[in-house]
Amino acid sequence: MRKITIVIPCYNASVYIDRCIKALEKQNFKDFKVIFIDDFSTDNTIDILSSFKGITTFHFEVLCNNSNCGPAYSRNRGILKADSDFITFCDCDDWYESDFLEKLYQLLLNTNSDIAFCGYKVVDENGNLQMRALTDKSGTLSRTEIFGLDVDSLCMMMVKTSIMKDTLLPNLRNGEDVATVSLLIGKAKGYAVTSDCLYNYFRRQGSASQKPCMKVVDSLVASFDYTKNYFLTEDRHELEYLGVKNMLYGALITLFSFGYDTKKAENILSQFEHEFPKWYLNPFIPNLSLYKRFVLLCLRYHCFLGVRVIAMLRNWIIN
């Protein structure tokens, strides 16, 4: 049995999967297994994966979906198949730094934690790079401190497999990571973080993740509803903060990124305020970036025009 399982869903990944695999071969830590899940690709992803069989320095297997089911379903297949102590994730067009596995694994062992987090780098098609560190120091954090971090991706963490198997992803096309990370934090008993940026997130022009639409908005709202149903905590501030960060900011900045539907925005905001009327006093909000706090300030006073302006500026910067 390997110490770590890496789960990688693939869909039409022929252009990028080679880079991902080569980064895995360069890992300093070698005691790992990879589970690729092909989500009914229409290109030659399967052929490329087959060509690496038997020649990589690491062990891997490939699972194939019988139809296009989405990343959540694919990841869950990999999670249920894993038999390692710890599990982590990578997207097929992204890649790890060579010390990703080594540093997170040692961090978990040295701190006796259930879950460890790292920062990431955003790399675009022109090679431009942005560092997104979670913190300026490494070590253990309290549950409260972890909730104050801006973690919204399974690829930024390594977690005990037993906890992951008990926290499968909801069947959403967007927002499934947001919901699952929150639930994992709620179930874990020890937390660690490194100041290093160990994951490389590749930002592609025209990719599905870069295209805001109403389906994404509805998925983010559904993601928070899912979190509310399964979140195990007596601290309402934590759940409220997840809603502020992932639904109010996430759903509404997305909504105004492709249109100006104030009726939809008012409906989302009013429903949230009905359940959390003093959300703007949440003690975690000061941990957010300045521009996110400005968006939330606009939302407090239902100033949707201000959010629309920020969303347009954000689109311009990304593109």
Side-chain angles (χ1 to χ4, degrees):
M1 184 177 75
R2 307 285 177 172
K3 296 293 185 183
I4 301 170
T5 298
I6 304 171
V7 175
I8 304 179
C10 303
Y11 177 69
N12 290 349
S14 60
V15 177
Y16 306 104
I17 194 64
D18 182 78
R19 179 178 58 191
C20 182
I21 291 174
K22 288 180 177 177
L24 294 173
E25 290 192 312
K26 294 178 182 178
Q27 288 301 298
N28 300 332
F29 186 89
K30 302 297 185 183
D31 193 5
F32 68 92
K33 172 185 177 179
V34 182
I35 301 177
F36 294 101
I37 307 93
D38 181 72
D39 196 19
F40 209 65
S41 294
T42 58
D43 65 0
N44 62 333
T45 295
I46 286 293
D47 294 334
I48 293 175
L49 290 174
S50 298
S51 71
F52 279 98
K53 200 73 174 176
I55 66 172
T56 58
T57 57
F58 58 88
H59 177 71
F60 74 87
E61 64 178 299
V62 180
L63 307 179
C64 297
N65 295 340
N66 294 323
S67 61
N68 182 248
C69 303
Y73 177 87
S74 298
R75 282 172 165 174
N76 285 341
R77 284 196 70 187
I79 292 166
L80 293 173
K81 185 80 171 176
D83 59 359
S84 55
D85 296 329
F86 298 99
I87 191 168
T88 188
F89 301 85
C90 187
D91 288 340
C92 58
D93 52 353
D94 299 337
W95 67 98
Y96 291 156
E97 292 294 309
S98 61
D99 52 356
F100 177 93
L101 296 178
E102 178 185 40
K103 286 190 173 179
L104 289 185
Y105 180 74
Q106 287 301 321
L107 186 60
L108 285 166
L109 294 186
N110 294 341
T111 61
N112 194 29
S113 298
D114 289 344
I115 186 169
F117 299 94
C118 70
Y120 64 103
K121 303 170 187 176
V122 179
V123 186
D124 67 19
E125 292 172 306
N126 297 316
N128 299 314
L129 185 148
Q130 299 174 11
M131 306 291 284
R132 302 283 179 85
L134 290 178
T135 178
D136 57 1
K137 60 181 180 179
S138 301
T140 58
L141 293 181
S142 68
R143 177 189 170 105
T144 298
E145 289 171 323
I146 285 292
F147 268 103
L149 299 180
D150 194 11
V151 181
D152 58 6
S153 171
L154 290 171
C155 297
M156 299 166 62
M157 46 156 272
M158 185 180 291
V159 62
K160 279 187 175 179
T161 304
S162 57
I163 297 176
M164 193 71 246
K165 283 179 178 288
D166 191 45
T167 319
L168 297 178
L169 282 71
N171 188 25
L172 301 171
R173 287 281 179 162
N174 297 93
E176 69 275 13
D177 276 33
V178 169
T180 307
V181 170
S182 304
L183 297 178
L184 289 170
I185 293 173
K187 293 179 180 180
K189 299 187 183 305
Y191 315 91
V193 64
T194 176
S195 58
D196 297 320
C197 297
L198 304 176
Y199 188 83
N200 292 281
Y201 166 65
F202 184 54
R203 177 179 285 163
R204 287 184 287 133
Q205 292 291 334
S207 69
S209 62
Q210 299 299 318
K211 294 180 179 178
C213 61
M214 192 61 73
K215 188 175 182 179
V216 175
V217 174
D218 291 338
S219 290
L220 289 169
V221 173
S223 173
F224 182 62
D225 289 339
Y226 181 89
T227 302
K228 286 193 297 183
N229 291 333
Y230 294 97
F231 193 68
L232 305 175
T233 181
E234 296 178 358
D235 190 345
R236 191 167 173 82
H237 284 312
E238 293 176 358
L239 183 60
E240 181 182 66
Y241 175 67
L242 295 174
V244 168
K245 180 168 68 87
N246 300 327
M247 192 178 83
L248 281 197
Y249 170 79
L252 294 180
I253 200 73
T254 301
L255 177 66
F256 289 130
S257 292
F258 64 88
Y260 192 47
D261 189 343
T262 57
K263 184 177 180 180
K264 176 79 171 182
E266 184 65 45
N267 182 51
I268 292 173
L269 181 55
S270 296
Q271 286 187 17
F272 189 77
E273 288 180 330
H274 178 74
E275 189 168 1
F276 302 98
K278 300 291 185 180
W279 62 265
Y280 48 84
L281 298 178
N282 188 279
F284 292 111
I285 287 179
N287 295 317
L288 294 173
S289 63
L290 181 61
Y291 92 91
K292 287 185 178 181
R293 296 201 305 271
F294 179 77
V295 169
L296 293 175
L297 179 64
C298 292
L299 292 177
R300 177 184 176 182
Y301 296 103
H302 294 229
C303 180
F304 297 135
L305 180 60
V307 182
R308 170 66 169 171
V309 170
I310 292 294
M312 292 296 95
L313 287 173
R314 181 171 171 266
N315 286 349
W316 179 78
I317 292 171
I318 290 175
N319 295 321

